[in-house]
Amino acid sequence: MAETPNPAPAQSTVTLKIDGQSVTVPKGTNVLEAARSLGVSISFFCYHPGLSSPAVCRQCLVEVKGQPKPVPSCYTPCADNMDVLTQSEKALTVRQQMLEFTLVNHPVDCPICDKAGECTLQKLYVEWDSAHARMDYEKVHKPKKVDLGPTIVLDAERCILCTRCIRVCDEVAHDHQLEMSYRGDRETISVAPGKQLDNPYSLNTVDVCPVGALTAKDFRFQMRAWELMTTSSVCAGCATGCNDEIHHARGEIYRLVPRENQDVNKFWMCDDGRMTYHEIRQNRVAGARVQGETVPLDKALSFAADRIVALRGSSGSSGLLGVVANAQATNEDNYLLLKVASALGVDRVYLAGRPARPDCADDILRHADMNPNTAGARAIAQALMPGKAKGVPQLAADLEGGALKALWILGDHVDLDEEAQAALARLEVCIYQTPHQNFLSDKVNVLLPAAAWAEVDGTFTNAKGLVQRIRRAVEPPGEARPHRELIQLLGRKLGIALDYPNVRMLFKEMKQAVPEFAAAEYGRELPVVQLRFAGSRG
Amino acid sequence: METTFRKRTSKATVKVVPRPETLNKELMLGGIIQGLAVTMRHFFQNVAREKPEVTINYPEERLKYPLRNRGLHRLMHREDDSVRCVACMCCPTACPAHCITIVAEETGNGNEKRPAIFEIDELRCIVCGLCVEACPCDAIRMDTGEHMHVVDRRDDAILGKVDLMKRGISSTAVQGGEPNWQERVKTVPDPRFR
């Protein structure tokens, strides 16, 4: 991760005045950040709080008393007794002139630009002067569609040469793939010789781009930014748990973008994580199935409950029932499943999930564990059934050895080989709650439609042990319901009283039961915000 | 299920306002006679041809519509007869009836974007003309003077790109305005357009 250029030494602060207000900040803080902490807005393009400041756009110029010329606030460290004027006539004039200068060669093709609605340049121009161009020469024309790599297209005309994208590659991905070429008004962003923009963090360049110069091929022309609604959630792609925003409109998800969290992902997110939204709506199970036939959900639940009750009558209290918790499901789902299991006297508990992919891991954000909730599922299993939780290899061995007659599986990824799958198909009852169809869905005799991660409220615990809130962005298809609701319904049919009208109650109970979650808080309910009211993201 | 019911905070009731009733109103006879009198007056005036008739024999006779009448939509063409629309989605954003559906695609030629699908549900359209106002490139117009067609099925009232372009002609509007528009606009007498 990019470190701040000058880490502030402890207990060393400076006090300065900004627009007459006194503010004390750690030594090394730049004037722009100090002003932002006071709520004073200074326009800028090239500065980004997660990157270094080259002070190339000159859009953040402020007046400092005693200095003959305006200074770039993003590049000027705060000093004691400094007197900064951000809204003086001189500062405002010079910033307005810089904006006009930036717009000289900008094509202003907002109607066909994908960034319109979340563009910093557009926002500043409309807020500030909305004046007609005084330039009456023809603008410099540059290539409108430059293929920079597998994920990104550059419109060189729209680029305002802030170099944020170059710094993202250098400082976040640690791979120098972009650079400036040519000079003057011919200057343009291009890929470094012999390279292309294909690092695993390349789409962050699109997020930081203050204009519509860089566009993601995945999102290009799909939807206008102002139509999008944002729901704050957490990426389910790996155990890092990057905080993200789900951008959706009319029940469809269009993209995932990172959300700032200094403890987890700072400002960034990997490309693989962003693409996880595609699979949410693919191969969905929309209705319950019993032995391959589509039936109403209630009937499927009754069928499963009857079989389990019959087994419990014939082969002892546990009924040779096993449950499979899943690292893909939320803490609440796993907790409820194991609670039901312990009430039923089940002692065979397994923990499934996607197989790890060490080839995808790096020391920036990406984690080898491809499950969002491994730590949480483990902690819950340890708290509710200490020492009993086994892995998938043990599940395969038990299936092939005939130690199980019934199985209740949560989530979609259970990595079983051919023989274990054949053994699974021979079980008396196998309940499989899944959002997606896969190789297991034909082998089981009770298939229940579950909601995917973007369709539920709940919490994930990331590899660092942070319990993070995920929020429901879109409705699940058909009869699909969150895992916890399916467990409650089936639990009731098995005679176990479960009544959790909302997730928060379930979370409160879980917090008391699982020591790892004692300090965790269930996140606030956030209103769904329409992107056009959220200001620019650039 | 996660269903919460909001508590009712106000007790809204129906307020009954008593109206003074007269015998005339109770009987309704006066009203009937008054109404019949108006009808009969027009009847005899028409028979006696004192005034020109207030009705016309549509569809044989047609009124002349004013120039700014809003009829069915049409999509304008570029010089090479391709669609002028750049799929900027300004018209569906402006549309209060949500009757416009656009799916954008890449053109592959110099023009960056064009609509792959452009559909207007003419049954939903409230003929407000905001789409025409919103269009930044004179691509959509409502100046055909045509009425909504009679359809048997609701789906038939959804006009696609081909239908809309069939009515369109080549537009001569210059993208981004005429080259010397700043000079010419100074000569416009109306100060609003300066």
Side-chain angles (χ1 to χ4, degrees):
Chain A
M1 295 294 323
E3 295 294 326
T4 37
N6 302 313
Q11 275 120 30
S12 123
T13 56
V14 290
T15 305
L16 72 159
K17 261 170 53 176
I18 296 176
D19 290 342
Q21 294 183 70
S22 183
V23 60
T24 305
V25 292
K27 203 170 182 180
T29 310
N30 59 44
V31 175
L32 181 57
E33 283 296 333
R36 269 153 64 103
S37 71
L38 278 177
V40 176
S41 79
I42 302 174
S43 55
F44 58 88
F45 292 122
C46 73
Y47 176 73
H48 189 282
L51 301 170
S52 57
S53 327
V56 292
C57 74
R58 319 304 281 186
Q59 188 58 52
C60 64
L61 292 172
V62 291
E63 197 183 348
V64 176
K65 273 193 186 160
Q67 301 226 17
K69 288 203 284 186
V71 296
S73 59
C74 72
Y75 197 65
T76 312
C78 293
D80 263 325
N81 302 324
M82 210 180 205
D83 195 353
V84 182
L85 296 174
T86 69
Q87 312 294 323
S88 68
E89 198 188 334
K90 187 177 170 190
L92 286 175
T93 312
V94 79
R95 292 214 292 274
Q96 189 174 3
Q97 286 168 349
M98 283 318 301
L99 184 67
E100 190 176 5
F101 203 30
T102 305
L103 281 163
V104 162
N105 279 321
H106 188 80
V108 204
D109 53 352
C110 302
I112 53 166
C113 175
D114 261 356
K115 198 82 174 185
E118 53 172 354
C119 169
T120 313
L121 183 60
Q122 190 186 30
K123 184 173 164 235
L124 285 184
Y125 166 72
V126 173
E127 276 181 5
W128 210 321
D129 59 5
S130 298
H132 287 306
R134 288 191 287 165
M135 227 291 291
D136 50 3
Y137 296 108
E138 192 164 346
K139 298 192 178 202
V140 173
H141 290 295
K142 291 180 191 171
K144 289 291 280 181
K145 195 183 167 193
V146 186
D147 206 352
L148 291 186
T151 53
I152 287 172
V153 178
L154 165 72
D155 185 324
E157 262 184 5
R158 290 181 195 149
C159 178
I160 58 166
L161 306 166
C162 71
T163 71
R164 268 183 183 179
C165 50
I166 299 178
R167 281 173 286 141
V168 165
C169 290
D170 289 356
E171 295 168 20
V172 179
H174 304 300
D175 195 351
H176 185 73
Q177 292 181 330
L178 290 178
E179 56 186 25
M180 310 290 285
S181 47
Y182 302 101
R183 295 193 301 175
D185 61 6
R186 307 271 151 199
E187 195 171 20
T188 178
I189 299 279
S190 59
V191 286
K195 291 195 176 182
Q196 58 170 342
L197 183 55
D198 58 355
N199 67 61
Y201 297 91
S202 63
L203 287 172
N204 288 308
T205 58
V206 177
D207 288 334
V208 298
C209 184
V211 292
L214 295 172
T215 44
K217 284 182 187 169
D218 183 56
F219 181 68
R220 199 171 152 85
F221 301 162
Q222 295 301 306
M223 179 50 74
R224 296 319 303 256
W226 59 74
E227 301 276 337
L228 292 168
M229 311 295 278
T230 66
T231 302
S232 299
S233 189
V234 169
C235 175
C238 79
T240 307
C242 293
N243 289 213
D244 65 9
E245 272 177 10
I246 302 172
H247 285 181
H248 53 100
R250 295 186 272 279
E252 283 303 319
I253 301 175
Y254 284 91
R255 63 178 174 185
L256 304 179
V257 296
R259 181 161 58 94
E260 183 187 348
N261 187 338
Q262 291 297 330
D263 296 330
V264 184
N265 56 323
K266 303 212 167 135
F267 303 91
W268 321 113
M269 191 171 166
C270 75
D271 292 0
D272 295 340
R274 287 171 199 258
M275 293 304 136
T276 53
Y277 81 90
H278 284 295
E279 62 193 47
I280 291 175
R281 293 294 191 171
Q282 284 166 4
N283 295 327
R284 287 304 293 267
V285 179
R289 269 188 270 164
V290 171
Q291 288 162 335
E293 280 178 35
T294 306
V295 293
L297 182 61
D298 192 58
K299 217 171 169 185
L301 291 166
S302 301
F303 176 86
D306 291 348
R307 285 274 175 111
I308 292 175
V309 170
L311 272 175
R312 280 161 69 81
S314 65
S315 49
S317 63
S318 75
L320 297 180
L321 173 69
V323 295
V324 181
N326 202 307
Q328 289 279 321
T330 63
N331 287 324
E332 287 77 9
D333 300 338
N334 284 311
Y335 171 77
L336 204 57
L337 181 73
L338 296 191
K339 191 182 165 178
V340 172
S342 53
L344 287 170
V346 172
D347 57 356
R348 289 179 190 277
V349 179
Y350 309 93
L351 193 57
R354 275 180 211 223
R357 289 188 59 191
D359 57 312
C360 285
D362 56 30
D363 54 358
I364 304 170
L365 284 178
R366 298 188 301 161
H367 202 282
D369 180 2
M370 301 304 277
N371 301 296
N373 199 24
T374 312
R378 281 216 184 105
I380 291 164
Q382 188 59 32
L384 266 68
M385 301 198 161
K388 283 182 188 163
K390 307 277 179 3
V392 175
Q394 182 65 40
L395 171 63
D398 284 355
L399 278 170
E400 286 159 33
L404 291 167
K405 278 195 170 171
L407 199 58
W408 187 350
I409 309 172
L410 199 65
D412 50 348
H413 288 269
V414 184
D415 203 22
L416 291 174
D417 56 19
E418 293 279 322
E419 282 179 38
Q421 285 179 35
L424 193 84
R426 290 196 297 272
L427 289 174
E428 289 282 317
V429 57
C430 182
I431 305 156
Y432 185 38
Q433 303 183 186
T434 180
H436 303 284
Q437 290 191 30
N438 55 23
F439 56 88
L440 279 181
S441 44
D442 297 333
K443 305 279 194 303
V444 299
N445 52 14
V446 180
L447 187 69
L448 300 180
W453 65 270
E455 298 157 1
V456 295
D457 284 307
T459 55
F460 281 152
T461 308
N462 76 354
K464 282 184 184 171
L466 280 172
V467 181
Q468 304 192 96
R469 176 75 198 277
I470 61 166
R471 292 181 178 85
R472 174 195 196 124
V474 290
E475 291 290 318
E479 269 194 306
R481 284 159 168 241
H483 283 303
R484 63 184 151 79
E485 282 181 16
L486 295 171
I487 299 167
Q488 281 192 58
L489 291 171
L490 189 49
R492 277 183 212 149
K493 292 214 184 257
L494 292 168
I496 300 159
L498 295 166
D499 191 21
Y500 302 100
N502 56 45
V503 198
R504 190 181 287 274
M505 280 177 66
L506 187 53
F507 183 81
K508 263 189 192 163
E509 191 188 302
M510 182 174 70
K511 208 171 129 173
Q512 317 241 304
V514 184
E516 274 87 346
F517 297 160
E521 287 293 328
Y522 192 69
R524 284 177 297 139
E525 297 301 330
L526 291 177
V528 179
V529 186
Q530 197 158 16
L531 198 64
R532 70 175 107 164
F533 301 127
S536 70
R537 295 190 318 108
Chain B
M1 285 300 292
E2 221 174 302
T3 320
T4 51
F5 294 97
R6 188 171 291 173
K7 274 184 188 166
R8 197 176 280 181
T9 48
S10 70
K11 283 182 181 174
T13 51
V14 180
K15 191 180 176 187
V16 180
V17 183
R19 295 192 191 283
E21 292 293 335
T22 59
L23 184 66
N24 190 15
K25 273 195 177 171
E26 292 269 294
L27 284 173
M28 290 184 279
L29 203 61
I32 291 170
I33 293 167
Q34 268 176 23
L36 275 176
V38 173
T39 311
M40 294 315 286
R41 189 172 76 236
H42 280 287
F43 174 72
F44 287 117
Q45 275 173 355
N46 271 352
V47 169
R49 296 282 165 131
E50 278 182 11
K51 278 203 300 190
E53 288 168 45
V54 290
T55 54
I56 59 161
N57 295 321
Y58 186 85
E60 288 80 18
E61 291 172 30
R62 306 235 172 161
L63 285 179
K64 194 168 183 286
Y65 289 144
L67 276 173
R68 293 178 66 181
N69 167 266
R70 295 191 286 263
L72 276 189
H73 301 82
R74 61 174 175 166
L75 279 180
M76 306 300 282
H77 301 194
R78 292 173 193 271
E79 277 161 14
D80 60 354
D81 274 348
S82 62
V83 67
R84 247 184 111 77
C85 172
V86 293
C88 73
M89 316 273 180
C90 285
C91 52
T93 305
C95 179
H98 303 297
C99 68
I100 308 176
T101 311
I102 302 178
V103 175
E105 68 176 2
E106 212 140 345
T107 55
N109 60 32
N111 309 320
E112 199 172 342
K113 220 175 154 190
R114 72 173 170 216
I117 296 173
F118 194 116
E119 284 180 351
I120 299 182
D121 188 342
E122 296 286 355
L123 284 180
R124 267 192 181 200
C125 175
I126 58 166
V127 209
C128 65
L130 284 182
C131 50
V132 183
E133 297 281 325
C135 184
C137 50
D138 188 31
I140 188 167
R141 288 194 192 171
M142 295 181 76
D143 58 358
T144 49
E146 281 181 54
H147 291 182
M148 171 65 207
H149 295 236
V150 178
V151 290
D152 299 329
R153 292 167 52 233
R154 278 168 195 266
D155 289 357
D156 295 343
I158 300 173
L159 299 186
K161 197 167 106 176
V162 179
D163 298 327
L164 292 165
M165 283 181 72
K166 226 183 272 168
R167 299 190 177 83
I169 51 165
S170 180
S171 165
T172 53
V174 178
Q175 198 76 62
E178 300 280 333
N180 58 342
W181 67 273
Q182 280 149 314
E183 292 306 312
R184 289 201 311 161
V185 88
K186 286 175 192 160
T187 62
V188 175
D190 190 337
R192 284 178 304 167
F193 297 114
R194 255 179 237 156

